[in-house]
């Protein structure tokens, strides 16, 4: 009755239903994964003339000559809307992250199939017909199967320093032994409301931006689970206030299962259940005493530095890069503290940062590119000019990244030239010696008084002549 389309090296099969069915029969599209788990799949296609009735799943394991093989299937059932010939269009489905193209076909919907009456002589001793059990009849009784799943918010650390990052993960977990059919329900809408309650206001957030929810096998206390990550981020506390993640609920579709399932009957009934996470608290500690405690970065960092030359003449410019890389809040890294620039002229650095969010951690690089001009010849250690202090939570100590580059400067001294370029002239030299008391502007200017009077007389005469006329 079924025609199979073997795809993806025969590891994934998409099986279409028969070419001809009765109006009272159902048609199916079946996705089967061999020797692997069905981790993710697209929506089943919409077919004109057929109405989706619901999905069911099944799995099997075979052992032949000591070789173990397994399969897992998800089945979408369609119900014909009327008699006639319908066209199943070609469609594409993404199974376990792989796109699979399925060619279409034509399906003939005929008259309802007649069901023969039972001829079993023992049927009179029972209150049902085996054929009716196969096709389904009357009212179906559904039962609630106990689920083996939970919803949780977890963190990789319970105690952190101010500025130290910790990873928070919000996920739904389903045991491999779970038998209760579960499905996500309006996840985007629910997740938006959940994150409003979960995200702490006293932390800097680095979001991993999960777009596709895919199952990942993990072990918890020796038990196998499939983890569906809904949200993950690294948080960096801005103060020592403890961080509380409240209990939140996730509503799931949980199907009830028919007590006496039939082949063509409705074997599942949609129901809802809300799973609640437990409250989670992360305690935050102040950094140890230090003169720069309120302004240092927190993380595990290293220094990578580069310069265009180690030998240069006075008056010539060269570039120097001070690159801080490691794990921590890269965005909060400030430029290094400069020593007294007595022998160099420094320009403000160009800043670039690269951040990588992967496998529950945030790392990256922040680069400071300086242009410098030496003013005095001599041997210089750039470590005297470039120093960057941070706190390492792994060692619980403050550390300093300083340059190890030595620079040889030759040529004439340009110190006097720099001083003369800053000379503002004799006008400003007299400011400290002249009297700064307030004085009148001087004697009245009689010429100005005469001019103003003449202008006023001319205006008055013009006005007189105008109105007289």
């Amino acid at each position: 009755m079924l025609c199979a389309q073997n795809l993806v090296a025969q590891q994934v099969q998409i099986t279409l239903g028969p070419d001809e069915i009765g109006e009272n029969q159902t048609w199916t599209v079946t996705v089967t994964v061999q020797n692997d788990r069905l981790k993710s799949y697209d929506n089943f296609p919409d077919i004109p003339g057929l109405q989706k009735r619901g999905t069911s799943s099944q799995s099997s394991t075979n052992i032949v000559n000591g070789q173990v093989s397994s399969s897992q299937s998800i089945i979408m059932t369609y119900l014909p809307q009327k008699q006639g010939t319908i066209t199943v269009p070609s469609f594409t489905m993404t199974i376990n992250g792989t796109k699979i193209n399925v060619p279409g076909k034509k399906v003939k919907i005929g008259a309802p199939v007649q069901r023969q009456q039972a001829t079993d002589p023992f049927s009179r001793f029972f209150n049902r017909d085996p054929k009716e059990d196969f096709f389904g009849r009357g009212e179906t009784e559904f039962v609630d199967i106990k689920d083996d799943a939970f919803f949780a918010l977890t963190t990789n650390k319970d105690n952190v320093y101010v500025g130290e990052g910790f990873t928070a993960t919000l996920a739904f977990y389903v045991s491999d032994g779970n038998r209760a059919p579960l499905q996500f329900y309006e996840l985007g809408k629910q997740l938006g409301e959940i994150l409003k309650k979960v995200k702490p206001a006293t932390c800097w957030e680095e979001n991993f931006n999960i777009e596709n929810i895919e199952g990942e096998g993990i072990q918890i206390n020796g038990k196998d689970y499939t983890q569906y990550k809904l949200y993950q981020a690294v948080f960096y506390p801005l103060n020592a206030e403890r961080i509380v993640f409240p209990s939140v609920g996730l509503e799931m579709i949980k199907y009830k299962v028919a007590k006496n399932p039939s082949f063509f009957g409705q074997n599942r009934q949609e129901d809802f259940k809300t799973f609640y996470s437990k409250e989670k608290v992360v305690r935050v500690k102040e950094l140890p005493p230090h003169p720069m405690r309120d302004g240092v970065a927190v993380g595990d960092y290293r220094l990578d530095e580069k310069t265009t030359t180690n030998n240069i003449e006075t008056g010539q410019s060269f570039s120097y890069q001070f690159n801080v890389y490691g794990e921590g809040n890269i965005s909060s890294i400030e430029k290094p503290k400069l020593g007294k620039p007595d022998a160099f002229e420094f320009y403000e650095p160009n800043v670039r940062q690269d951040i990588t969010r992967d496998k529950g951690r945030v790392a990256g690089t922040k680069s400071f590119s300086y242009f410098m001009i030496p003013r005095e010849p001599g041997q210089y250690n750039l470590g005297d000019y470039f120093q960057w202090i941070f706190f390492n939570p792994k060692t619980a100590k403050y550390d300093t990244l300083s340059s190890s580059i030595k620079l040889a400067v030759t040529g004439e001294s340009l110190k006097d030239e720099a001083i003369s370029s800053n000379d503002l002239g004799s006008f400003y030299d007299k400011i400290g010696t002249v009297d700064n008391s307030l004085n009148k502007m001087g004697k009245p200017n009689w010429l100005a008084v005469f001019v103003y009077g003449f202008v006023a007389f001319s205006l008055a005469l013009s006005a007189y002549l105008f109105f007289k006329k």
Side-chain angles (χ1 to χ4, degrees), residues 43-100:
N43 292 329
F44 283 87
D46 293 324
I47 303 175
L50 295 176
Q51 181 180 6
K52 289 181 180 178
R53 189 165 182 179
T55 59
S56 59
S57 61
Q58 63 184 29
S59 60
S60 64
T61 302
N62 298 319
I63 302 177
V64 180
N65 296 328
Q67 298 294 323
V68 180
S69 63
S70 63
S71 67
Q72 186 177 357
S73 302
I74 187 79
I75 305 166
M76 172 60 76
T77 301
Y78 295 84
L79 187 66
Q81 295 178 317
K82 61 181 180 179
Q83 296 183 28
T85 300
I86 65 171
T87 301
V88 178
S90 300
F91 61 91
T92 301
M93 291 187 67
T94 302
I95 312 298
N96 288 353
T98 302
K99 289 187 176 181
I100 300 175

Side-chain angles (χ1 to χ4, degrees), residues 135-188:
F135 287 100
R137 65 161 193 170
E139 292 277 337
T140 304
E141 182 181 356
F142 296 94
V143 295
D144 187 14
I145 299 177
K146 185 178 180 181
D147 54 79
D148 191 358
F150 64 93
F151 183 48
L153 187 145
T154 58
T155 60
N156 66 332
K157 300 175 185 177
D158 294 328
N159 297 277
V160 295
Y161 286 98
V162 173
E164 178 185 359
F166 67 92
T167 304
T169 304
L170 189 67
F172 190 75
Y173 300 83
V174 181
S175 168
D176 287 1
N178 176 67
R179 292 295 177 265
L182 298 168
Q183 185 176 321
F184 288 113
Y185 172 70
E186 294 186 352
L187 188 57

Side-chain angles (χ1 to χ4, degrees), residues 236-295:
Y236 300 92
L238 302 177
N239 55 39
E241 181 180 345
R242 72 171 190 160
I243 300 166
V244 179
F245 296 96
S247 173
V248 290
L250 177 68
E251 189 175 29
M252 298 283 293
I253 298 176
K254 180 182 178 182
Y255 293 96
K256 291 183 178 180
V257 179
K259 187 174 182 180
N260 298 309
S262 61
F263 187 78
F264 288 112
Q266 183 179 357
N267 293 325
R268 297 196 307 178
Q269 185 181 64
E270 187 176 274
D271 199 2
F272 295 89
K273 179 178 178 179
T274 302
F275 293 81
Y276 291 93
S277 66
K278 294 182 180 179
E279 181 184 277
K280 179 66 179 180
V281 178
V282 176
R283 291 172 174 80
V284 186
K285 301 175 289 184
E286 289 279 9
L287 297 180
H290 189 275
M292 297 182 62
R293 180 175 69 176
D294 296 331

Side-chain angles (χ1 to χ4, degrees), residues 460-469:
L461 180 60
S462 300
Y464 170 77
L465 296 175
F466 176 78
F467 285 109
K468 183 178 180 181
K469 184 177 179 180

